[in-house]
Amino acid sequence: MIIKNIGLLVGIQPEGVLRVEGEVQGQTGALENAWLAIEDGRIVDFGNSVIPSEASVSSAIDAQGGMVIPGFCDSHTHVVYAGSRDGEFLDKINGLSYEEIAARGGGILNSADLLHRTSEDELLKQSLGRVKEMMDKGTVALEIKSGYGLNKADELKMLRVIRRIGESVPAKVKSTFLGAHAVGRGFTHEAYVQEVIDMIPEAAEYADFVDVFCDEGFFTVEDTDRILTAAEHLLTPKIHANELAVSGGVQVGVKHKALSVDHLERTTDAEISALKDTWTMPTMLPGSSFFLGLPYGRAREFLKAGLGVALASDYNPGSSPSGDMRFVMALGCIRMRLTPIEAFNAVTLNSAYAMGVSTEYGSITRGKKAALILTQPGWDLTKLAYQYQTPFIRQIIL
Ligand code: NIG
Ligand code: FE
């Protein structure tokens, strides 16, 4: 198959580039008046001269001057949940903070109660609806966490649902065991940390990653260290850190070779130093900053220090009820002062890296999956972030 008359082909990267950091995050390959050829679902070639002869092509898509970019990669979501927390939305409007809502037994525990009462098939149905919504907005690969089960049976129920989602959509799905999201009802803190450790071997049959909410009022650095030690050789860490306080989560994540440390709304220079020369991708979630009124991550300083930055949606019922990665990219530009190219790389290649799929997704590269967004005519990356509410997608190729 060939896509012809592409006005702008953006996001071209040479083979083997799995993330972009520092100044390089501000660059991307682009071709005007281009074509792109797909075989067996993969990008086989592209260019802007000598279009392959019609004879070798089984079907053609006329891009009519639209832009073609790699689809969005969302490396941090909690889209498997039951029901809604719109009641807490009213509490929030009335002035309660995220921590105050959680302390009243709302928040994550509220979602856990709902999930416990919801059948596996119903949970799948509700969650699939959100994944389809994300795909319609251009997401082609996503990570999904457990963490609303908070006991063994319900955590495994979530992990099975994540697996079933991966089997039923064309988007790539990666799975994370987040047993340590909050202390489950009926457990003391200590007993629950041990319960999470005991769940690891079975969770590892389903999940790719392990996560801990290492933050004030949730799990300590010591808890995190114990859980990650128990998961060594079974699950690669991706850590929730520094959302509510400077938690030490970045450092313990780096110590355990986390693939990503996520949130980072509150970060000091010590976290930036800890991340240098590691394989860990700092991942910021501006949708949570927006929804909870938290500070935005200091992405500019991270880039200045030579680090890369990924952006993800954090789609969840409590702190970010949206999986719109184009809006995430726009917030990266509007509130974090990323350039459109830096923000674009943050929601494609770097977020693919942050869930271990950047060999297959996140850029226009020969051999990668043809997981693409074809836009209406007249779009470019700057307009995508600037005119951030105007519909732009003409077709998703997945
Ligand atoms: O990433 N911070 C912890 N977990 C989620 C929120 C989960 C919830 O409130 O349901 C987050 O923001
Ligand atoms: Fe999260």
Side-chain angles (χ1 to χ4, degrees):
M1 187 176 96
I2 190 165
I3 309 176
K4 55 183 188 181
N5 297 326
I6 300 172
L8 199 54
L9 179 65
V10 191
I12 301 167
Q13 292 287 349
E15 261 171 74
V17 176
L18 300 184
R19 58 174 165 172
V20 281
E21 300 175 285
E23 275 180 23
V24 182
Q25 187 160 345
Q27 301 160 16
T28 190
L31 282 179
E32 284 179 20
N33 304 319
W35 54 269
L36 180 141
I38 300 169
E39 212 174 289
D40 294 331
R42 289 183 189 269
I43 299 168
V44 287
D45 208 359
F46 53 85
N48 64 351
S49 54
V50 222
I51 304 187
S53 79
E54 297 281 335
S56 65
V57 166
S58 62
S59 65
I61 293 176
D62 187 346
Q64 292 175 15
M67 173 172 68
V68 169
I69 56 175
F72 299 126
C73 297
D74 193 346
S75 62
H76 182 138
T77 86
H78 309 250
V79 284
V80 171
Y81 63 83
S84 154
R85 301 231 297 271
D86 50 7
E88 293 172 15
F89 184 48
L90 300 178
D91 294 338
K92 178 177 127 62
I93 291 168
N94 288 324
L96 291 188
S97 70
Y98 183 79
E99 291 94 321
E100 286 163 340
I101 292 169
R104 289 166 135 209
I108 295 168
L109 289 179
N110 186 355
S111 286
D113 294 340
L114 280 165
L115 186 130
H116 182 70
R117 297 197 296 267
T118 304
S119 74
E120 192 167 319
D121 286 346
E122 175 60 23
L123 184 62
L124 175 68
K125 187 176 146 225
Q126 293 181 17
S127 307
L128 258 181
R130 284 184 281 272
V131 171
K132 291 196 171 134
E133 171 204 333
M134 294 167 76
M135 287 167 49
D136 285 345
K137 288 180 179 284
T139 295
V140 296
L142 67 152
E143 179 257 20
I144 310 176
K145 299 175 195 293
S146 74
Y148 294 121
L150 308 184
N151 61 58
K152 190 172 174 187
D154 289 334
E155 282 294 310
L156 290 173
K157 173 161 104 179
M158 288 191 75
L159 290 171
R160 284 193 300 273
V161 167
I162 297 170
R163 176 180 280 181
R164 287 170 72 186
I165 292 172
E167 288 164 354
S168 48
V169 297
K172 177 76 179 172
V173 174
K174 297 295 268 190
S175 169
T176 298
F177 171 55
L178 175 58
H181 198 194
V183 173
R185 290 205 198 273
F187 291 93
T188 63
H189 189 98
E190 262 315 295
Y192 189 66
V193 171
Q194 188 55 50
E195 182 71 8
V196 169
I197 289 171
D198 294 343
M199 287 184 228
I200 288 172
E202 252 181 278
E205 290 174 26
Y206 294 90
D208 304 292
F209 304 111
V210 61
D211 194 345
V212 176
F213 188 7
C214 180
D215 222 319
E216 199 167 88
F218 289 83
F219 294 91
T220 64
V221 168
E222 292 69 37
D223 299 333
T224 308
D225 197 37
R226 280 185 63 202
I227 292 167
L228 298 189
T229 301
E232 219 177 303
H233 307 305
L234 290 173
L235 294 165
T236 301
K238 277 170 66 68
I239 299 300
H240 274 76
N242 297 45
E243 175 183 4
L244 307 172
V246 176
S247 69
V250 169
Q251 287 82 351
V252 70
V254 166
K255 175 183 161 196
H256 287 274
K257 298 202 165 52
L259 184 55
S260 71
V261 286
D262 301 29
H263 270 287
L264 313 177
E265 285 87 348
R266 304 173 202 271
T267 318
T268 67
D269 293 343
E271 281 73 33
I272 294 181
S273 312
L275 283 158
K276 275 196 197 158
D277 303 317
T278 69
W279 85 319
T280 306
M281 177 63 70
T283 301
M284 297 175 187
L285 311 171
S288 308
S289 299
F290 173 76
F291 189 78
L292 295 182
L294 300 177
Y296 286 82
R298 297 159 64 200
R300 280 249 67 82
E301 278 113 302
F302 278 63
L303 290 176
K304 207 165 145 202
L307 295 167
V309 168
L311 298 177
S313 75
D314 198 19
Y315 194 169
N316 76 76
S319 67
S320 182
S322 160
D324 184 339
M325 286 297 279
R326 187 270 191 102
F327 182 54
V328 168
M329 177 182 161
L331 285 175
C333 296
I334 298 164
R335 302 308 306 270
M336 302 165 85
R337 296 188 301 113
L338 294 174
T339 66
I341 294 177
E342 287 167 345
F344 165 76
N345 279 325
V347 295
T348 53
L349 187 63
N350 281 359
S351 45
Y353 176 92
M355 57 174 152
V357 301
S358 65
T359 52
E360 297 270 75
Y361 294 86
S363 65
I364 305 293
T365 302
R366 288 180 188 85
K368 280 199 184 181
K369 298 273 187 190
L372 309 168
I373 299 173
L374 164 53
T375 77
Q376 301 287 350
W379 285 84
D380 57 34
L381 291 186
T382 302
K383 186 172 167 186
L384 205 58
Y386 168 65
Q387 210 159 317
Y388 64 94
Q389 287 284 312
T390 307
F392 71 105
I393 295 176
R394 194 169 135 223
Q395 192 176 338
I396 311 265
I397 296 161
L398 188 53

